[in-house]
Amino acid sequence: MMAVAAAQKNREMFAIKKSYSIENGYPSRRRSLVDDARFETLVVKQTKQTVLEEARNKANDASLEECIQQAQEHIPAEQNVELQDEQPNLENLELPMDNDYVPVEDFEIESAETEQSQEPAGQPPKNDYGLTEEEILLANSASESPEAEAAMQSAALVVRLKEGISSLGRILKAIETFHGTVQHVESRQSRVEGVDHDVLIKLDMTRGNLLQLIRSLRQSGSFSSMNLLAENNISVKAPWFPKHASELDDCNHLMTKYEPDLDMNHPGFADKVYRQRRKEIAEIAFAYKYGDPIPYIAYTDVEVKTWRSVFKTVQDLAPKHACAEYRAAFQMLQDEQIFVDHRLPQLQEMSDFLRKNTGFSLRPAAGLLTARDFLASLAFRIFQSTQYVRHVNSPYHTPEPDSIHELLGHMPLLADPSFAQFSQEIGLASLGASDEEIEKLSTVYWFTVEFGLCKEHGQIKAYGAGLLSSYGELLHAISDKCEHRAFEPASTAVQPYQDQEYQPIYYVAESFEDAKDKFRRWVSTMSRPFEVRFNPHTERVEVLDSVDKLETLVHQMNTEILHLTNAIHKLKRPF
């Protein structure tokens, strides 16, 4: 729980507190998932730089004497650290070698050291010459409480030795003095000019002592640089992400709450009644918590009229232009009297329908979520849906997602097993991804789930929600006025998005299965150093980062394969 709290605090520290406006650097006039991701990448970088610089300046205000005094407060006097003097005998030193052995030619020092000021050769470093981001986040975790400071931390240090391997003894003595346990040590001749050896040390130590150890090592002239690296191959600065569906309660606070109040070009900007209505529905969504029934919205006659206009248009166009999977699900929704023209479907009845068919469910959202939070919900087969309706003066266009877009565009295909799986895999790929990768995933989502086309019996059909709920762009997308390209995630992920008018380029998938296969191969090239899977029984995302977890998963798969094998044998039996 302590680690979760620290991770959430780090997330909050770098949270986006600016509004999504052009004045704050938003890249377009209208909000979209893709532009949100770009804006969030920019703002997070700026915020991190500010936070880290403040922390570094604060750290550098402390004198060397203060650092030593702080260290001595935690260590008995007879064990004070003397890095320059005592030299343990390395010949008889026994070091444990763990199962995570990394060949010396493979371990690399992260670029964090480039953030530190570089001193001229032979010159002593200035006080604490630049904390790395990992150290600042570790310090924040340690500052939560005395218990957090005393909590054990697994860490990896890379130290560059200027004076030869004999300096390693001083480091090991310091680790012993700070009551640390060395788990693994390896060294190699350095490729950096002026550095003799690079040494990787994996250790366990309390957070407070680890910070003091790092600072003490930094004060020594024997080391060119010292870096805190990843913990268990997962960076301590990796983005927090929800592990259970209930944690999506923490993934809805980075919203622009009431779009009509912020955008003068919004159709409802001058309509005080509409703005108040939007505010009331948004507050209902903000109050929603995991496990609650989805609140019932009593839609007005005007809202039902807007729904009816769009519903009948989609009903006319879908048989000719929508993909077979969409048409089949649309018919199912009509058969169950969820899609009717005289009332808007309630999210709860739609959620029950989806859960019965594909395991997806709905969660009310007050507006357009941040890209990271929205994609994360898909990993749990949860779609965050708005409940408000677009303004009556603009029934066929809305500057942001509304319930009509969600219901007519997204819901039918979320009832298709293959498409539901594709949507979930996009969500799973987003968990723990970097800001740059979130931007790419958002772009892939935009050109598939929102504006995707597919082949069907030699003809181009639409499956994107943005097309199926906007007849103007639908007719444009299937015409010869635009370019159709084969769906390839690597190129799709970097395709510029057109905000002001219809897209000039659309991507065509051979099938949902083909799209999933290509997407899986592309995701495997992402930088995230771990894999995740969703456990539908516990509604929990499991990080596959240990042999024990993999063995458990293999056992489960063997059981499933046994059931499948038995089923095949029974089908082959003669009557």
Side-chain angles (χ1 to χ4, degrees):
M1 293 302 295
M2 197 177 298
V4 172
Q8 289 177 330
K9 182 180 180 182
N10 292 335
R11 168 184 166 86
E12 197 62 40
M13 178 173 63
F14 295 132
I16 300 170
K17 297 178 175 64
K18 292 183 177 182
S19 67
Y20 293 70
S21 65
I22 295 176
E23 291 77 12
N24 285 330
Y26 195 79
S28 66
R29 184 175 62 82
R30 278 176 19 196
R31 282 193 65 190
S32 73
L33 191 71
V34 179
D35 288 322
D36 272 11
R38 291 173 183 166
F39 177 71
E40 290 151 21
T41 299
L42 173 66
V43 173
V44 168
K45 283 182 178 178
Q46 293 173 342
T47 306
K48 281 188 176 182
Q49 184 175 358
T50 301
V51 170
L52 299 180
E53 284 302 318
E54 289 177 354
R56 287 167 184 152
N57 292 336
K58 182 178 179 181
N60 289 335
D61 287 340
S63 66
L64 175 60
E65 290 73 22
E66 289 173 328
C67 297
I68 295 174
Q69 182 178 359
Q70 290 176 8
Q72 290 175 347
E73 288 175 357
H74 293 81
I75 302 170
E78 65 273 12
Q79 294 184 1
N80 285 346
V81 180
E82 296 291 345
L83 290 175
Q84 302 292 341
D85 298 327
E86 188 172 353
Q87 302 253 353
N89 183 356
L90 294 178
E91 293 181 1
N92 298 322
L93 185 65
E94 294 185 4
L95 298 172
M97 302 293 286
D98 62 15
N99 293 329
D100 295 326
Y101 174 75
V102 181
V104 292
E105 64 270 22
D106 290 339
F107 81 76
E108 295 292 340
I109 299 177
E110 291 186 350
S111 60
E113 69 182 52
T114 61
E115 300 176 9
Q116 304 170 26
S117 56
Q118 299 297 320
E119 301 295 333
Q123 296 293 323
K126 68 181 180 181
N127 282 356
D128 208 32
Y129 69 135
L131 295 174
T132 66
E133 183 177 338
E134 288 85 351
E135 291 165 52
I136 293 170
L137 296 181
L138 177 64
N140 286 339
S141 299
S143 66
E144 288 287 317
S145 64
E147 291 79 13
E149 183 179 6
M152 294 299 296
Q153 178 80 32
S154 296
L157 303 177
V158 171
V159 186
R160 284 180 162 166
L161 312 179
K162 294 192 294 187
E163 300 176 356
I165 198 66
S166 60
S167 302
L168 176 59
R170 302 170 191 166
I171 302 173
L172 298 175
K173 178 61 179 177
I175 293 172
E176 179 184 352
T177 303
F178 280 102
H179 306 295
T181 302
V182 176
Q183 300 295 346
H184 176 84
V185 173
E186 69 178 90
S187 64
R188 72 173 182 197
Q189 288 188 335
S190 181
R191 302 166 186 167
V192 178
E193 185 177 355
V195 178
D196 191 272
H197 275 76
D198 299 332
V199 178
L200 170 68
I201 305 171
K202 293 185 177 182
L203 56 91
D204 294 331
M205 184 179 288
T206 65
R207 290 170 175 167
N209 283 354
L210 179 58
L211 288 167
Q212 295 297 340
L213 170 68
I214 292 170
R215 181 163 289 184
S216 298
L217 294 177
R218 283 254 167 81
Q219 306 308 318
S220 172
S222 300
F223 314 126
S224 173
S225 66
M226 198 291 305
N227 288 299
L228 174 65
L229 293 188
E231 174 189 358
N232 297 329
N233 294 326
I234 302 177
S235 174
V236 295
K237 63 180 179 180
W240 174 89
F241 59 86
K243 304 294 196 309
H244 187 267
S246 61
E247 294 175 16
L248 292 176
D249 288 347
D250 298 322
C251 294
N252 68 349
H253 59 289
L254 300 179
M255 293 182 185
T256 301
K257 288 189 178 181
Y258 313 125
E259 293 280 3
D261 285 355
L262 301 175
D263 186 356
M264 292 181 63
N265 296 312
H266 194 286
F269 181 78
D271 188 336
K272 292 183 179 180
V273 174
Y274 180 78
R275 287 167 59 172
Q276 180 61 31
R277 174 67 167 166
R278 284 282 298 269
K279 183 176 181 179
E280 291 170 356
I281 294 178
E283 291 295 352
I284 291 172
F286 280 120
Y288 179 86
K289 297 298 181 184
Y290 172 79
D292 292 347
I294 299 176
Y296 179 90
I297 303 295
Y299 289 106
T300 66
D301 292 341
V302 172
E303 290 167 336
V304 172
K305 176 184 176 182
T306 304
W307 157 263
R308 184 182 300 113
S309 298
V310 183
F311 176 75
K312 288 188 173 181
T313 301
V314 173
Q315 199 174 22
D316 292 339
L317 292 175
K320 183 177 180 181
H321 300 299
C323 65
E325 292 83 356
Y326 180 91
R327 299 195 305 270
F330 195 97
Q331 185 61 54
M332 291 169 59
L333 286 161
Q334 287 183 299
D335 293 342
E336 298 205 15
Q337 294 296 298
I338 296 175
F339 272 1
V340 290
D341 64 2
H342 60 273
R343 68 175 181 87
L344 272 87
Q346 292 291 325
L347 287 195
Q348 185 63 62
E349 64 178 329
M350 182 63 76
S351 183
D352 293 341
F353 172 82
L354 293 177
R355 184 180 290 276
K356 181 174 63 176
N357 285 277
T358 61
F360 252 89
S361 60
L362 302 180
R363 180 188 174 102
L368 190 62
L369 289 162
T370 64
R372 186 180 293 278
D373 286 349
F374 175 76
L375 294 176
S377 67
L378 297 178
F380 299 88
R381 294 209 169 205
I382 292 176
F383 188 90
Q384 306 230 28
S385 175
T386 54
Q387 290 181 287
Y388 57 81
V389 177
R390 63 192 65 178
H391 196 269
V392 67
N393 289 343
S394 182
Y396 300 110
H397 170 75
T398 175
E400 80 276 281
D402 74 326
S403 60
I404 295 178
H405 166 78
E406 320 279 36
L407 291 166
L408 293 177
H410 286 289
M411 303 311 166
L413 278 175
L414 287 176
D416 177 77
S418 184
F419 186 84
Q421 179 67 27
F422 178 66
S423 299
Q424 183 180 30
E425 291 195 20
I426 294 178
L428 289 168
S430 76
L431 301 180
S434 67
D435 290 335
E436 291 77 10
E437 288 167 339
I438 289 293
E439 186 175 328
K440 290 182 178 180
L441 285 166
S442 298
T443 305
V444 170
Y445 183 90
W446 188 260
F447 282 107
T448 54
V449 178
E450 290 290 353
F451 290 96
L453 299 171
C454 62
K455 290 183 179 179
E456 187 176 296
H457 306 303
Q459 294 183 317
I460 301 297
K461 300 291 184 178
Y463 70 87
L467 297 177
L468 293 166
S469 60
S470 175
Y471 76 95
E473 185 150 7
L474 171 60
L475 296 178
H476 168 78
I478 60 177
S479 72
D480 57 3
K481 297 178 182 179
C482 57
E483 180 183 352
H484 291 162
R485 294 181 183 177
F487 172 63
E488 291 292 342
S491 58
T492 305
V494 295
Q495 173 64 36
Y497 155 70
Q498 176 58 254
D499 173 65
Q500 301 300 325
E501 54 191 30
Y502 295 152
Q503 307 298 315
I505 297 171
Y506 296 89
Y507 289 89
V508 183
E510 294 293 330
S511 65
F512 291 150
E513 292 302 322
D514 179 67
K516 283 193 296 184
D517 181 62
K518 290 178 177 177
F519 181 77
R520 287 169 184 151
R521 283 187 272 117
W522 176 68
V523 166
S524 68
T525 67
M526 292 172 60
S527 65
R528 186 180 66 182
F530 56 90
E531 286 293 329
V532 297
R533 70 180 290 266
F534 177 67
N535 186 328
H537 306 296
T538 61
E539 295 185 298
R540 185 172 295 279
V541 166
E542 300 170 351
V543 180
L544 303 178
D545 58 354
S546 71
V547 174
D548 288 343
K549 291 179 181 178
L550 292 175
E551 286 180 344
T552 300
L553 180 57
V554 169
H555 177 72
Q556 294 172 353
M557 292 175 63
N558 286 337
T559 302
E560 293 296 323
I561 291 173
L562 178 62
H563 290 319
L564 292 174
T565 303
N566 289 339
I568 291 172
H569 289 326
K570 290 178 179 179
L571 288 173
K572 288 182 177 180
R573 290 175 185 171
F575 291 103

